[in-house]
Amino acid sequence: MTSRMKKKLLYSGLVLALWGGQAMADDPYDDWGLDTPLRTARLIEDDTAGSDILSNDDEASLKDRVAKLEALLADKSEDDGEDPVEELSGTVDDLSDSFKKFSGDKSIVHSGSSKSTMKVSGRVHVDGWGFADSDDNISIFNGGGDVDDALDPQNRLGFRRLRFGVKGDIKDNMIYKIEMEFAGGNDSEFRDAYLGWEELPFLQTLLIGNQKRPYGLDHLNSSRFNVFIERPFVIESFNQDARRLGIASYGYDDAQLFNWRYGVYNQRNVQSLGNYIDDHLQLELTGRLASTPWYDEVSGGRGYAHFAISGTVADTDPDAINGNEARFRSRPEARSSGRWIDTGRIASADAFQMMGVEAVINLGALQLVGEYQTMNVDRIDGFSDANLDGGYVYASYFLTGEHMPWDRKSGTLARITPFQNFWSVRRCDGGVERGWGAWQVAVRYSTADFNDGVINDGVFGGQGDAWTFGLNWYWNPNARMQFNYINGQIANRIVSDPADPPAPAGPLDNTLQTGDYSIYGVRFMVDF
């Protein structure tokens, strides 16, 4: 310890001794069970009782008094065999380290025995949807593609997401997360549910359990940060509900130039079931490699570029008890009762392979994003293979100047922080002071082609095209309102109107039909 540090500690000890002797009857640290600096200071005070070291003699300079105190401490050190200054320094350091650890810890629970921690998280998304205008065929699509089951789209109000979860650390380098979805009322489901390890050699982070499959940027982005209320056709279709039971590794390089994730998953969505039961496991091997070749550190990440490639190779079972997993479907980029694009379970599908590419360019308040994915389905029993594909592009712009932050470790969007939060208070003079939050406008074009082949041999899930216009109002980093208007078309989807003896089949049976639609939606959301 340097001479200057010793003197600073001595000054502190002197002040504590004076304050403790005159103003404190009891040591406030007694309840903590600590051997504190105050006790050390009191020992000094006791030893100086009756002396002039701690007197208030105005003629004695502070330097003289400190010099006498140093001499006394030296004598005490020789008598006790301990250095009070070193003891005081160590205690201060321990208290400082404990405070830093406590102030940076966001856990709400610490287990006394296992040393595990728990943090609480949640989100509430309240949606309203209105179906302004649609053709008659849209009712057939909404009912599942059967004329007899046609269902006119109805306006909707309710919870899109109502989630509550916990996550934390387990000694030594284990982690866990459990998240439940309650938006379905009595039909609750789990979402993220896994255990894992961090800081592993080579694998870095390894998770086992229900987690997102690593393809489709718009799905890998959290719904807390996405620009539009619902995801594009192809992203939702090829990775419906995203999460599957599997084991996966996550990592990134030291420079955060590259990040990756890869794993093996079961293809069935078991979030409402808890288990997959079948002789055939229907596994898929998936991966994603992403890069952020440009990131403007000087501006705090207001400028960056991202590129990624992803893919999957899946082994399906044409004879599975509950059907093979080669089914790709999507709602109209809004919350409807049925899927308006739907291949059904593709007959005799034996395997499929998907590849996707994605790119993001961010220039201050402006962001440009695009993705394209293509799927090839291998079929047996004399059926022709099928190819499905789709993609989207969008542009967003902050009218108030903010930017979309980027997480280089995961290759996904991060939390938006407004320059000024939304608030309103009344001043003492009767006026009103306000903050207006952050405002963002966006437009997206999305397309999907799930048709391939000829009638009675091919796949005809439909072709979708949609324009979405969005307005986002960020109240603060954890709350916002979104508004979307969607104008689109579902074309060439096969419908059925089978014979019902003695009546013959209807005129639309086994034909390709098209319908136009307009939808508007609003969301109020908060997360914590």
Side-chain angles (χ1 to χ4, degrees):
M1 177 179 294
T2 65
S3 174
R4 178 174 294 182
M5 291 178 64
K6 286 185 177 181
K7 287 185 178 181
K8 288 184 178 179
L9 289 170
L10 287 169
Y11 294 154
S12 300
L14 179 61
V15 173
L16 285 171
L18 291 170
W19 174 63
Q22 296 175 5
M24 298 289 290
D26 298 313
D27 189 343
Y29 291 90
D30 282 341
D31 293 338
W32 293 3
L34 299 175
D35 192 9
T36 65
L38 186 54
R39 287 201 180 93
T40 303
R42 282 187 171 174
L43 289 174
I44 297 171
E45 183 183 19
D46 292 341
D47 287 346
T48 59
S51 71
D52 63 348
I53 294 177
L54 299 180
S55 69
N56 291 323
D57 186 1
D58 294 337
E59 297 179 358
S61 69
L62 181 59
K63 290 184 179 180
D64 292 338
R65 294 158 64 188
V66 169
K68 292 178 182 180
L69 184 58
E70 286 179 332
L72 179 63
L73 287 172
D75 294 341
K76 182 173 178 58
S77 177
E78 294 177 0
D79 296 340
D80 298 343
E82 296 181 358
D83 186 350
V85 177
E86 294 293 343
E87 181 183 356
L88 180 62
S89 174
T91 303
V92 171
D93 289 342
D94 290 342
L95 287 173
S96 177
D97 292 342
S98 297
F99 176 78
K100 288 179 180 178
K101 182 177 180 181
F102 177 79
S103 63
D105 187 1
K106 298 181 181 179
S107 302
I108 64 167
V109 175
H110 285 258
S111 171
S113 57
S114 66
K115 304 300 182 183
S116 59
T117 65
M118 184 179 75
K119 300 177 183 179
V120 173
S121 64
R123 69 190 73 174
V124 180
H125 294 182
V126 182
D127 287 9
W129 290 102
F131 294 84
D133 185 33
S134 61
D135 296 340
D136 291 341
N137 284 333
I138 294 297
S139 298
I140 300 176
F141 304 156
N142 193 49
D146 193 316
V147 173
D148 291 340
D149 296 329
L151 179 63
D152 187 44
Q154 301 293 308
N155 297 338
R156 303 166 68 91
L157 291 173
F159 291 106
R160 175 64 173 91
R161 295 179 180 88
L162 192 60
R163 295 185 187 174
F164 186 83
V166 296
K167 64 179 181 180
D169 301 323
I170 301 174
K171 189 180 181 181
D172 290 301
N173 64 331
M174 290 194 69
I175 57 175
Y176 71 91
K177 184 176 182 180
I178 304 170
E179 184 180 50
M180 297 299 297
E181 176 64 80
F182 299 103
N186 292 331
D187 298 325
S188 61
E189 300 178 348
F190 58 86
R191 289 295 183 260
D192 286 331
Y194 55 73
L195 57 89
W197 295 262
E198 292 183 315
E199 300 181 7
L200 295 175
F202 183 70
L203 295 175
Q204 295 196 18
T205 298
L206 182 69
L207 302 182
I208 301 175
N210 207 57
Q211 55 195 297
K212 287 185 176 182
R213 294 181 291 189
Y215 48 89
L217 171 63
D218 213 72
H219 246 319
L220 296 179
N221 289 335
S222 172
S223 62
R224 298 169 297 165
F225 311 143
N226 267 342
V227 173
F228 297 91
I229 297 178
E230 295 293 341
R231 295 180 167 100
F233 292 126
V234 68
I235 301 302
E236 182 59 34
S237 298
F238 288 171
N239 198 2
Q240 185 177 322
D241 293 327
R243 294 172 178 85
R244 295 294 187 273
L245 186 62
I247 177 170
S249 171
Y250 302 74
Y252 57 91
D253 68 334
D254 292 338
Q256 298 185 30
L257 176 62
F258 293 98
N259 65 83
W260 55 85
R261 54 181 81 183
Y262 56 90
V264 178
Y265 298 80
N266 175 259
Q267 297 170 48
R268 181 156 300 162
N269 183 354
V270 297
Q271 292 176 159
S272 62
L273 305 173
N275 298 277
Y276 173 82
I277 302 174
D278 203 298
D279 290 336
H280 194 298
L281 290 177
Q282 298 199 83
L283 298 179
E284 64 175 308
L285 174 65
T286 74
R288 176 180 185 249
L289 175 64
S291 176
T292 310
W294 171 53
Y295 188 87
D296 187 14
E297 299 276 5
V298 176
S299 65
R302 286 182 61 85
Y304 55 83
H306 158 85
F307 303 97
I309 183 171
S310 61
T312 186
V313 177
D315 182 22
T316 59
D317 180 10
D319 302 316
I321 296 174
N322 294 311
N324 73 70
E325 292 302 314
R327 182 181 189 179
F328 310 103
R329 55 183 183 165
S330 174
R331 292 182 171 91
E333 303 185 356
R335 205 65 183 170
S336 59
S337 299
R339 270 75 170 188
W340 295 7
I341 295 178
D342 191 352
T343 64
R345 297 192 184 276
I346 299 176
S348 298
D350 188 52
F352 63 81
Q353 308 85 35
M354 189 280 297
M355 186 186 75
V357 292
E358 60 193 64
V360 178
I361 302 293
N362 199 93
L363 303 171
L366 174 67
Q367 184 172 81
L368 306 173
V369 180
E371 284 194 78
Y372 172 78
Q373 294 183 342
T374 180
M375 173 85 69
N376 187 75
V377 182
D378 299 332
R379 305 172 75 191
I380 59 176
D381 301 328
F383 286 95
S384 300
D385 294 348
N387 181 263
L388 320 174
D389 69 341
Y392 70 90
V393 292
Y394 79 69
S396 64
Y397 184 79
F398 276 100
L399 302 175
T400 45
E402 290 83 354
H403 76 285
M404 300 292 293
W406 191 255
D407 185 343
R408 287 181 287 170
K409 294 180 180 180
S410 63
T412 58
L413 291 177
R415 186 178 298 279
I416 296 90
T417 301
F419 289 153
Q420 183 184 55
N421 290 340
F422 170 61
W423 52 275
S424 180
V425 295
R426 185 173 297 279
R427 297 197 304 262
C428 296
D429 61 4
V432 176
E433 195 75 20
R434 294 185 177 91
W436 290 105
W439 292 79
Q440 180 187 42
V441 292
V443 59
R444 179 178 70 192
Y445 172 71
S446 173
T447 184
D449 185 355
F450 287 8
N451 287 1
D452 193 24
V454 297
I455 299 294
N456 298 324
D457 178 69
V459 175
F460 294 92
Q463 299 163 324
D465 291 279
W467 286 91
T468 302
F469 301 89
L471 175 66
N472 298 323
W473 182 15
Y474 298 84
W475 299 332
N476 57 57
N478 296 88
R480 62 172 162 158
M481 185 190 79
Q482 294 179 274
F483 174 80
N484 283 181
Y485 172 75
I486 307 163
N487 184 269
Q489 180 186 80
I490 306 298
N492 299 316
R493 177 179 171 179
I494 197 166
V495 301
S496 62
D497 189 6
D500 185 13
L508 299 183
D509 186 49
N510 211 28
T511 63
L512 303 179
Q513 299 298 316
T514 296
D516 298 325
Y517 61 90
S518 295
I519 306 172
Y520 53 89
V522 63
R523 170 173 293 169
F524 301 91
M525 58 186 290
V526 64
D527 74 271
F528 55 90

